[in-house]
Amino acid sequence: MFAHTALRQRCAKWLFATGLFLLLGACVEKPSTLERVKEDGVLRVVTRNSPATYFQDRNGETGFEYELVKHFADDLGVKLEIETADNLDELFDDLGKPSGPVLAAAGLVTSERRKAQARFSHPYLEVTPQVIYRNGRPRPTDAQGLVGKKILVLKGSSHADQLAELKKQYPGLQYEESDAVEVVDLLRMVDEGQIDLTLVDSNELAMNQVYFPNVRVAFDLGDTRDQRWAVAPGEDNSLLNEVNAFLDKAQKNGTLQRLKDRYYGHVDVLGYVGAYTFAQHLQQRLPKYEKHFKSYAKVEQVDWRLLAAIGYQESMWQPEVTSKTGVRGLMMLTQRTAQAMGVSNRLDPRQSIQGGAKYFMKIKAELDDSIQEPDRTWFALAAYNVGTGHLEDARTLAKREKLNPNKWLDVKKMLPRLAQKQWYRQTKYGYARGGEPVHFVANIRRYYDILTWVTQPQLEGQVAEGNLHVPGVNKDKPAEQAPPM
Ligand code: BLG
């Protein structure tokens, strides 16, 4: 009995001491990366400055990676702090620094070399590396065709790794790497014929095609690859686990799809000919009307580039066009709309822009309060084209299908039904060419994105104030014929 009690006492002491020890241990233990981020209230992310990742426009920071990582920071309830690296080697160096950023979000793909420099998240975007050449020049169709060509790629890029690998097989292959350029520069150099070929990822080409009408895909170099975020190699798993859970959720709840749609989804809208034409019109037509877009944008409190995008979709910035249905002018006002907006001459570009801007903001203000931005803007655009009544019908159909009537992604699925009897006979306003507003909105979003990028403050700084800068389109060059499809 005695021995038993003594044992119990000893055990209790031991347990107490161990407990204390563990408790003390916990007190001095380093907080996990995730705890540190939350305590600091800041998520520090390194990226690169490019249209496919992160850039500044007049409304502030934007870009595919930026928006995705901002969602993540918001979920964590912390502030987002973005740092940019000049090249990929620097990006991985920064990530490795003890006091550096904890996450890299820069369209990265894994490679054996990179796996030693960082740990990678679940994938969020599939891309294909593509060999790019200039239209009209000899087109290589396989790796052998790269030999003897002047090739430039980004320093430290996965494309440079691919070329290093190919060089083992084709010793004659020559290429250069540069850390003084970005993807846009590489494409411009191909476009202008300064280099024969470059390698970029499919998403980057998709975003930039519009500025570089002469660049073409020669062939896909290898399989599709996954883009992933990266955390510093020395960190524990806490942040990586949180990142993975976030990316999985973004995949499931449609956040990722929305971003892909916004940045890469409507690239096919323009195609080669459209891209070329848009670049031309940006130089030759927009400057004549830019001041009107800007001044009525100010009056109506709307982004002038959105008005300009509507104007391009409606008339390709031509003030005298008339549609088959008698809708007229740069902003394509119906007679009724023109009258209601006080427009006496629809063919006067200033009046047309004034009336269009006023009408757009009027119908936007009249939309249901439950429709939030950015969807609110897309709904207002659809209403500009098809009328508020038909848009309401499409929202009603969405509700009946248990879709969200406040989300453009859902309502745009319903709009084409307004052209089918089985559906439109159930609606209040009946038949409408419901496919038209879907294309209308998709095109305008694409033009708006492009205008946003070409009128970025940092690019504007390179040219005279008020002028648009279109990389790859030389103002002094005579207009060439649009290339064949
Ligand atoms: C729009 C009107 C809406 C009108 C709808 O038609 O015109 N928008 C403007 O005038 C700015 O006001 O809505 S309603 O008043 O509630 O009925 C529906 O009637 C113009 C559209 C029509 C479209 N373009 C602006 O997007 C057009 O011209 N379609 C015909 C093309 S074609 O003739 O087949 O080539």
Side-chain angles (χ1 to χ4, degrees), residues 148-193:
K149 295 281 164 55
K150 189 172 176 189
I151 306 173
L152 184 70
V153 292
L154 290 195
K155 186 162 186 288
S157 64
S158 59
H159 306 121
D161 291 346
Q162 280 188 290
L163 290 174
E165 208 40 52
L166 278 178
K167 199 172 163 63
K168 292 180 192 160
Q169 214 180 329
Y170 304 100
L173 176 69
Q174 300 284 341
Y175 64 93
E176 280 179 45
E177 296 182 45
S178 170
D179 59 1
V181 292
E182 271 302 337
V183 172
V184 278
D185 302 304
L186 293 174
L187 293 171
R188 195 194 62 242
M189 290 165 94
V190 172
D191 192 80
E192 291 177 353

Side-chain angles (χ1 to χ4, degrees), residues 239-258:
L239 183 65
L240 190 60
N241 290 342
E242 196 76 7
V243 162
N244 284 335
F246 164 76
L247 291 174
D248 295 349
K249 190 180 80 181
Q251 182 83 50
K252 281 206 193 87
N253 69 14
T255 304
L256 256 172
Q257 194 51 49
R258 273 196 292 281

Side-chain angles (χ1 to χ4, degrees), residues 58 454-469:
R58 285 180 189 165
V454 295
T455 58
Q456 276 183 76
Q458 69 259 39
L459 288 178
E460 272 194 0
Q462 296 170 11
V463 292
E465 180 58 44
N467 279 347
L468 291 165
H469 172 82

Side-chain angles (χ1 to χ4, degrees), residues 397-408:
L397 289 179
K399 267 182 243 166
R400 284 193 210 142
E401 294 288 314
K402 305 256 179 301
L403 295 173
N404 188 340
N406 298 332
K407 286 281 166 220
W408 175 243

Side-chain angles (χ1 to χ4, degrees), residues 64-72 229 246-247 256 259:
F64 180 91
E65 291 286 7
Y66 173 78
E67 288 199 30
L68 192 57
V69 89
K70 177 79 173 73
H71 278 294
F72 180 50
W229 286 351
F246 164 76
L247 291 174
L256 256 172
L259 283 180

